[in-house]
Amino acid sequence: MDNAVKTLDSEKEFNIIHKDNISVRETRSENDDGSFKEHKINKRFVLFKIDLFVLSFVCLQYWINYVDRVGFTNAYVSGMKEDLNMTGNDISITNTCFTVGYVVGMLPNNLMLLIVPPRLWLSFCTFSWGLLTLGMYKVTSYQQCCVIRFFQALFESCTFSGTHLILGSWYKENELPIRSAIFTSSGLIGSTFSGFMQVAIHKSLNGRQGLPGWRWLFIIDFCITIPIALYGLIFFPGVPDKSSINSKFSMTKVIFTKEELQYARRRLPARDESTKLDWSVVPRVLRRWHWWLFSFVWVLGGENLSFASNGLFALWLKDRNYSLSNRNNFPSGIYAVGIVSTFAAAFYLSKIKRSRHWHVAIVIAVVMCAVAIMIRIDPLNEALMFTAQYLGGVAYAGQAVFFAWANVVCHDDLQERAIVLASMNMFSGAVNAWWSLLFYAANTVPHFRKGCYALIATSVSSGIVSILIRKFQIRELNQKRQMPYVDANDMIVEDHNEEEEDDDEDLENVFRDRYTEESSQVI
């Protein structure tokens, strides 16, 4: 293909050259005297650098986020309960305070990422919750825990939906599932790591300097968190906008050239650049189905995670008088299953031609129904409980799948995408704040009777809503087919099917075929 496409600024992009199986994009940028200089950009190397510096930071941030978050539950079952005289539902109330802070901070954090450079905001938030984690080692009552956990959550709420917003600004649709899976799995690895770290700390530091092992856990968490915040401040490039190259105290201009950042922007589908972050975003969001259905489906998906996210397996193990090391280590199997299922879903969506997000949603719904039924049958049967709890880790795959799905559907409107991604997590957390107290309170151990019925309801409903989302998505794709939109930002046709591209195929027909293929799928 040797078509020249006119772009929106002085840069002009030309044909793709394949040399030794390495794709190189030729570009020309205009000099001050009106002449042009040529640039050659290695596409694979640019993608490698995006993975190395963008994905690495958000994964490290999410990893330590879960180390800090799950560390509270590990501390509770490792002596904090007794030292602070916590009784009844004290831990559930503390978790609810965390959830409230998480909900309150979700939308403001995502909107701040549209105003403040993400490099600065995410690094600041990481540093802040690190300081609050350090403060946990000095607590003397569960009321102090409630206050600190609330403010921790305010800052931690920048991570999940904020990262999905950033990933959607760097990666194409076929690249998102794997990157979302890597990101989600980093949090699960953090959950696993926290349990093993608490056991090691208890064995080696318990009583050192007069501090019990659970207090040392928060000190060490702080020591790990701060370097990650500094790494983000220096090496994380934020988003591929024109200001990234000029950021102070940043290595972005060393990592990426100006032309590479331009290519990073242009390799994604075009979006409406006329939209702004003002009051016009409210009617834009409310009149579309995206916000309503994606928020609802993740409310249901988030409650499918309640058995794992509320640390109920650790509480069940404590109730059944398992040892301290087993109470910390055995729940790690849930996160291991979550990692495997998340990557399995990602590879399915990336590698199978006719795969769809709703397929994975149905599988998750069926598995979680089975989990609820197994626990309800005989919650005191150890083999059955272990099997059910580990299978429940499959629900973690929904994090990568649903948020990647929303990223794709809402790509055209940046402000809408920021609000939809934040709202998904925000409403899920808002419901979980009272849902966990009502259905998964600590005093429901070991039978979880109400929780099992609730899980069956949310599982079935999440499958139904996923099918409904797919129907609306098909209708939207049909509308795009009727009014095909081609822009220079989406000119890299070979990424759709690079090896089988017909050099003489017209660009507009390629995009029309893409929408035709999508809209012709039968549910």
Side-chain angles (χ1 to χ4, degrees):
M1 175 179 155
D2 195 20
N3 298 336
V5 180
K6 185 176 182 180
T7 61
L8 301 178
D9 58 18
S10 60
E11 182 193 33
K12 298 188 180 296
E13 301 189 358
F14 288 82
N15 59 307
I16 301 296
I17 302 175
H18 298 282
K19 297 179 180 178
D20 300 325
N21 295 322
I22 298 177
S23 298
V24 177
R25 172 163 294 280
E26 284 187 348
T27 67
R28 288 183 183 180
S29 58
E30 191 172 3
N31 294 319
D32 294 337
D33 60 1
S35 62
F36 288 89
K37 59 181 178 181
E38 293 187 359
H39 308 279
K40 292 184 178 180
I41 298 175
N42 187 322
K43 298 196 305 177
R44 292 184 182 178
F45 188 54
V46 172
L47 184 58
F48 170 76
K49 289 196 287 187
I50 294 172
D51 287 337
L52 185 60
F53 294 102
V54 175
L55 197 59
S56 67
F57 171 66
V58 296
C59 286
L60 283 171
Q61 187 194 41
Y62 198 48
W63 172 78
I64 195 58
N65 177 271
Y66 260 80
V67 170
D68 294 344
R69 190 183 305 185
V70 177
F72 180 78
T73 301
N74 292 330
Y76 177 83
V77 299
S78 302
M80 184 173 71
K81 176 184 177 182
E82 292 75 14
D83 289 352
L84 301 185
N85 297 316
M86 298 176 71
T87 59
N89 284 330
D90 285 353
I91 187 173
S92 298
I93 295 172
T94 307
N95 287 337
T96 297
C97 289
F98 180 91
T99 302
V100 171
Y102 203 72
V103 169
V104 170
M106 194 80 60
L107 188 56
N109 272 315
N110 251 32
L111 295 179
M112 285 297 292
L113 291 174
L114 301 180
I115 302 171
V116 180
R119 178 182 67 90
L120 298 178
W121 187 250
L122 293 182
S123 299
F124 166 74
C125 289
T126 306
F127 183 80
S128 298
W129 90 60
L131 289 177
L132 289 164
T133 299
L134 178 63
M136 285 294 296
Y137 102 95
K138 294 289 289 183
V139 295
T140 57
S141 68
Y142 102 90
Q143 290 89 348
Q144 293 174 0
C145 292
C146 290
V147 174
I148 293 177
R149 295 286 286 168
F150 172 83
F151 286 102
Q152 271 185 314
L154 279 178
F155 293 107
E156 289 188 24
S157 60
C158 73
T159 54
F160 189 76
S161 55
T163 293
H164 280 287
L165 175 66
I166 290 168
L167 293 180
S169 299
W170 287 97
Y171 294 107
K172 295 184 290 186
E173 179 177 352
N174 65 320
E175 298 166 349
L176 267 176
I178 294 295
R179 273 69 181 188
S180 296
I182 293 172
F183 167 68
T184 302
S185 297
S186 66
L188 301 179
I189 293 171
S191 301
T192 305
F193 178 82
S194 182
F196 290 121
M197 186 171 72
Q198 174 62 81
V199 173
I201 289 172
H202 190 83
K203 289 181 178 179
S204 60
L205 292 176
N206 189 39
R208 186 74 60 88
Q209 302 296 322
L211 297 176
W214 66 267
R215 293 188 187 272
W216 277 109
L217 175 65
F218 294 120
I219 296 174
I220 292 175
D221 282 353
F222 164 77
C223 294
I224 300 173
T225 304
I226 299 306
I228 293 175
L230 294 176
Y231 172 76
L233 183 65
I234 297 171
F235 291 101
F236 178 55
V239 293
D241 59 19
K242 296 179 180 179
S243 63
S244 298
I245 201 73
N246 299 319
S247 299
K248 294 182 178 180
F249 310 110
S250 173
M251 295 294 291
T252 301
K253 55 189 172 186
V254 177
I255 298 168
F256 294 99
T257 66
K258 178 181 177 181
E259 292 72 31
E260 286 174 333
L261 285 177
Q262 288 175 329
Y263 165 70
R265 294 195 302 274
R266 296 182 183 284
R267 73 193 200 97
L268 297 183
R271 68 169 187 257
D272 187 354
E273 297 288 351
S274 66
T275 60
K276 297 180 180 180
L277 183 59
D278 54 25
W279 287 110
S280 68
V281 74
V282 176
R284 285 207 316 271
V285 169
L286 294 181
R287 70 169 175 256
R288 296 168 180 162
W289 60 267
H290 306 158
W291 181 78
W292 300 93
L293 289 186
F294 277 116
S295 295
F296 185 38
V297 80
W298 190 240
V299 165
L300 300 170
E303 298 318 320
N304 290 344
L305 277 170
S306 289
F307 266 98
S309 62
N310 285 289
L312 297 184
F313 193 31
L315 298 181
W316 184 89
L317 293 168
K318 185 176 178 66
D319 180 80
R320 308 314 295 170
N321 296 317
Y322 279 77
S323 67
L324 184 145
S325 61
N326 287 338
R327 295 198 299 265
N328 283 283
N329 291 337
F330 284 167
S332 300
I334 298 175
Y335 308 125
V337 172
I339 293 170
V340 172
S341 59
T342 297
F343 275 104
F347 279 108
Y348 172 73
L349 291 172
S350 299
K351 304 300 181 183
I352 305 302
K353 184 177 180 180
R354 299 179 69 86
S355 64
R356 295 293 179 266
H357 297 88
W358 73 274
H359 298 168
V360 181
I362 295 299
V363 171
I364 294 173
V366 171
V367 171
M368 296 312 295
C369 269
V371 167
I373 293 171
M374 291 170 67
I375 295 176
R376 185 69 192 94
I377 289 174
D378 190 0
L380 301 182
N381 185 315
E382 294 185 354
L384 198 62
M385 177 59 80
F386 271 73
T387 302
Q389 288 285 354
Y390 289 155
L391 276 177
V394 169
Y396 278 106
Q399 293 181 332
V401 170
F402 286 114
F403 280 83
W405 196 1
N407 245 325
V408 170
V409 171
C410 302
H411 178 82
D412 292 349
D413 189 327
L414 176 62
Q415 292 79 28
E416 182 204 28
R417 182 157 57 93
I419 292 174
V420 169
L421 292 172
S423 297
M424 289 170 69
N425 230 12
M426 180 178 68
F427 286 117
S428 177
V431 173
N432 193 55
W434 56 268
W435 192 274
S436 58
L437 288 175
L438 183 61
F439 295 107
Y440 302 115
N443 58 12
T444 64
V445 178
H447 296 91
F448 307 114
R449 183 178 292 106
K450 292 188 295 184
C452 290
Y453 294 129
L455 184 56
I456 291 173
T458 57
S459 300
V460 173
S461 300
S462 66
I464 294 172
V465 176
S466 298
I467 294 174
L468 186 61
I469 289 176
R470 179 56 184 167
K471 284 185 174 294
F472 277 99
Q473 185 184 16
I474 290 176
R475 187 179 70 177
E476 196 168 87
L477 289 168
N478 280 329
Q479 293 172 350
K480 289 182 179 181
R481 179 194 173 194
Q482 294 169 8
M483 295 187 301
Y485 176 64
V486 181
D487 186 273
N489 289 0
D490 201 21
M491 65 170 287
I492 308 171
V493 183
E494 75 285 355
D495 287 340
H496 177 62
N497 197 349
E498 187 171 289
E499 295 181 356
E500 300 178 2
E501 176 184 295
D502 183 355
D503 290 343
D504 296 326
E505 188 170 25
D506 181 77
L507 184 61
E508 183 173 323
N509 288 336
V510 173
F511 284 94
R512 183 181 294 111
D513 291 344
R514 179 186 297 179
Y515 293 127
T516 302
E517 178 186 354
E518 279 285 328
S519 60
S520 65
Q521 301 301 319
V522 179
I523 293 182

